Amino acid sequence: MTPEQQFGKNVRHWRKERGFSQEEFAERAKLHPTYVSGIESGSRNPTVKVIIRIAVALDVKVGELFE
């Protein structure tokens, strides 16, 4: 598994843990739903700014997205 795939898997885990659909999560993170799908599949490599927005939207520490 690539680091991007692991990151995406972790994002998906926390999103589902919070009970958000991809669309709801995308809205909270101010991202396009297609971009969120790409992150979760590991085909997108988000910037630090986007990673921080994801962490805030999921109410987790940035480091938890990389565990």
Side-chain angles (χ1 to χ4, degrees), residues 1 15 21 26 33 45-47 52 54 56 58 61 67:
M1 182 174 297
R15 175 180 61 78
S21 68
N45 192 8
T47 64
I52 291 169
I54 289 169
V56 169
L58 293 172
K61 294 178 182 176
E67 292 177 350

Side-chain angles (χ1 to χ4, degrees), residues 7 11 20 25-32 35-36 39 46-62 65:
F7 179 81
V11 170
F20 300 141
F25 169 61
E27 187 175 319
R28 290 176 64 90
K30 297 183 175 79
L31 299 169
H32 194 279
Y35 188 69
V36 168
I39 290 171
T47 64
V48 172
K49 285 183 178 183
V50 170
I51 292 169
I52 291 169
R53 285 166 47 187
I54 289 169
V56 169
L58 293 172
D59 193 29
V60 297
K61 294 178 182 176
V62 170
L65 297 172

